[in-house]
Amino acid sequence: MGTVKSLDKEIFHYLPRLNSRQKETVLTVVKTFAEEAETDRWKDKAFIAEMDKRFSEMESGKEKTYTLKEVEAEARQFYKKRKSEK
């Protein structure tokens, strides 16, 4: 994970040095990579098998799931707690 952060920092370091045409080119490359990654994920049999397993566990009740309201309430509680600690 540290490597990804350092790569992000390095990319952001160089972005201001690019002109508009160069930034458009970089954006095109990044979009292409992102679209390829998204497409490849759905061709990955191990990924699909894992998603099927998780979905089955969720439907059967074997795995606990949370509603959006539950997640929001938990986040608010956490935020209030952190805010009061400061």
Side-chain angles (χ1 to χ4, degrees):
M1 181 127 115
T3 304
V4 172
K5 255 188 177 175
S6 64
L7 285 173
D8 288 347
K9 285 181 181 179
E10 192 169 355
I11 289 168
F12 284 117
H13 171 76
Y14 285 106
L15 279 177
R17 298 179 182 182
L18 303 178
N19 63 40
S20 294
R21 182 188 57 78
Q22 291 168 325
K23 287 179 181 177
E24 284 290 329
T25 302
V26 169
L27 179 61
T28 301
V29 170
V30 170
K31 282 182 176 179
T32 301
F33 285 153
E35 288 169 2
E36 284 176 6
E38 187 66 30
T39 302
D40 290 345
R41 180 178 302 142
W42 296 108
K43 293 178 183 175
D44 182 352
K45 290 180 182 184
F47 174 78
I48 298 299
E50 179 66 21
M51 291 298 103
D52 287 343
K53 178 181 142 261
R54 290 182 183 196
F55 188 71
S56 296
E57 289 173 350
M58 183 189 71
E59 281 189 321
S60 71
K62 181 178 179 182
E63 198 63 41
K64 169 79 170 117
T65 58
Y66 300 92
T67 66
L68 180 58
K69 286 184 181 186
E70 290 171 321
V71 172
E72 288 174 341
E74 181 89 18
R76 283 190 182 95
Q77 283 181 334
F78 180 78
Y79 177 76
K80 285 179 185 179
K81 181 180 175 187
R82 293 285 299 219
K83 193 174 179 181
S84 68
E85 289 175 356
K86 290 183 179 182

